């Protein structure tokens, strides 16, 4: 887990969806993505992101990378590749995010809201209660989904928070070999752990930043949801040959 402290202004102006947009770009799995690169190297299986609200003005942005055994052995390269990709995002934001990226993100979030399942009532009420302190009353349901006011400045502020000087790295593993020597032992649960104050991000494998790019236009994001009219019944009683190949 890579944890970054972010300014609460990013969540106050939720209409820009700054954290969600950066998460969308970090976790996409198409060509040129960070996930695709990790899988090609066999370093990681997936990437997830999460906003953690610890208190007023205390907001953490967590990037969780599910490492393979090879990924644990190359964790410095995993972190280095992450920041290479962040540099690509930073340059894209500085020049203006492509219209198709904003369009894809907006449509996908609209679909998530439209087809969101309420699920367990108790969990839904708890979520809505938590949303009261984040969104205005009229936006409690839509605040975490809909992009209403894009803001390049907030996107830049969000991506600038993802830097090596603003990071806490947490490693979790059931394999004791990944922990290494010099471990401490938790006095309550007996779990072994180790604290390393500074991690030198010396790159063992050169990583070419040109391998990364933002998502391409996605033609498979649906835009029409009307029910197709019933097809006219055919008068055929036997099958007809539609196409015949030479082979």
């Amino acid at each position: 887990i890579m944890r970054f402290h972010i300014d609460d202004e990013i969540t106050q102006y939720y209409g820009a969806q700054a954290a969600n947009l950066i998460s969308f770009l970090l976790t996409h799995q198409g060509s040129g993505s960070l996930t695709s690169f990790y899988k090609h190297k066999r370093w990681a299986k997936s990437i997830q992101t999460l906003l953690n609200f610890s208190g007023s003005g205390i907001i953490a942005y967590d990037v969780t990378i599910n490492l393979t055994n090879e990924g644990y052995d190359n964790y410095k390269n995993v972190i280095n590749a992450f920041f290479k990709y962040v540099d690509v995002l930073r340059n894209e934001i500085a020049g203006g995010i492509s219209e198709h990226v904003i369009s894809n993100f907006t449509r996908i979030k609209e679909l998530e809201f439209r087809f969101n399942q309420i699920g367990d009532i108790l969990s839904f009420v708890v979520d809505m209660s938590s949303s009261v302190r984040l969104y205005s009353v009229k936006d409690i349901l839509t605040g975490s989904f809909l992009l209403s006011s894009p803001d390049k400045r907030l996107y830049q502020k969000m991506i600038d928070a993802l830097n090596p000087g603003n990071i806490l790295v947490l490693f979790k593993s059931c394999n004791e070999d990944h922990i290494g020597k010099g471990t401490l032992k938790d006095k309550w649960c007996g779990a072994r752990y180790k604290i390393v104050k500074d991690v030198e991000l010396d790159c063992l494998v050169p990583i070419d930043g040109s391998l990364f790019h933002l998502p391409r236009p996605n033609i498979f994001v649906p835009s029409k949801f009307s029910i197709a009219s019933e097809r006219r019944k055919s008068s055929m009683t036997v099958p007809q040959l539609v196409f015949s190949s030479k082979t």
Side-chain angles (χ1 to χ4, degrees):
I1 300 174
M2 291 183 286
R3 175 165 293 177
F4 303 89
H5 171 75
I6 64 171
D7 195 305
D8 59 357
E9 182 186 22
I10 291 171
T11 56
Q12 287 174 1
Y13 295 97
Y14 52 83
Q17 296 291 324
N20 280 338
L21 178 60
I22 298 303
S23 293
F24 171 73
L25 298 175
L26 285 175
T27 60
H28 92 94
Q29 300 182 38
S31 63
S33 68
L34 186 59
T35 302
S36 176
F37 176 82
Y38 284 154
K39 288 184 175 180
H40 178 73
K41 291 288 188 181
R42 299 183 179 180
W43 289 347
K45 296 173 284 187
S46 63
I47 304 172
Q48 292 93 34
T49 61
L50 178 69
L51 274 177
N52 274 314
F53 297 88
S54 301
S56 179
I58 306 174
I59 305 173
Y61 182 73
D62 290 350
V63 180
T64 300
I65 303 175
N66 295 313
L67 299 175
T68 62
N69 288 331
E70 290 183 52
Y72 273 100
D73 294 336
N74 291 277
Y75 73 90
K76 291 182 180 180
N77 289 309
V78 170
I79 297 174
N80 188 69
F82 172 81
F83 285 117
K84 284 281 187 181
Y85 186 73
V86 167
D87 285 341
V88 173
L89 298 187
R90 183 175 290 109
N91 293 334
E92 177 73 15
I93 291 172
I97 301 178
S98 301
E99 184 177 342
H100 76 266
V101 172
I102 295 293
S103 176
N104 283 350
F105 169 74
T106 301
R107 289 166 63 189
I108 288 173
K109 296 303 289 185
E110 287 173 350
L111 290 175
E112 287 182 7
F113 172 71
R114 181 172 179 177
F115 297 101
N116 186 38
Q117 299 293 318
I118 292 179
D120 176 69
I121 294 298
L122 179 59
S123 299
F124 177 73
V125 171
V126 171
D127 289 342
M128 290 302 98
S129 300
S130 300
S131 298
V132 169
R133 63 188 179 91
L134 301 175
Y135 314 116
S136 64
V137 175
K138 66 182 181 64
D139 295 328
I140 286 178
L141 293 176
T142 61
S144 63
F145 292 97
L146 303 186
L147 173 63
S148 58
S149 52
D151 191 323
K152 178 180 176 180
R153 182 185 65 84
L154 289 179
Y155 301 151
Q156 191 70 55
K157 194 169 189 176
M158 178 69 195
I159 203 68
D160 285 345
L162 309 185
N163 69 78
N166 182 39
I167 187 174
L168 172 66
V169 182
L170 308 173
F171 288 96
K172 295 191 294 184
S173 174
C174 296
N175 188 340
E176 291 191 2
D177 293 337
H178 293 152
I179 302 175
K181 297 179 180 179
T183 60
L184 302 173
K185 190 174 182 179
D186 175 69
K187 67 177 182 179
W188 289 284
C189 301
R192 294 194 175 277
Y193 66 96
K194 182 169 63 175
I195 299 174
V196 180
K197 292 185 178 180
D198 296 302
V199 177
E200 295 293 335
L201 296 181
D202 51 330
C203 182
L204 304 178
V205 178
I207 297 174
D208 184 4
S210 65
L211 295 173
F212 301 124
H213 60 75
L214 270 62
R216 303 300 191 198
N218 188 348
I219 62 174
F220 298 104
V221 178
S223 57
K224 297 180 180 179
F225 301 95
S226 57
I227 300 175
S229 59
E230 184 179 359
R231 293 184 178 180
R232 186 177 300 173
K233 292 183 179 180
S234 173
S235 59
M236 290 190 303
T237 57
V238 295
Q240 282 187 344
L241 180 65
V242 176
F243 175 78
S244 178
S245 66
K246 294 181 180 181
T247 56

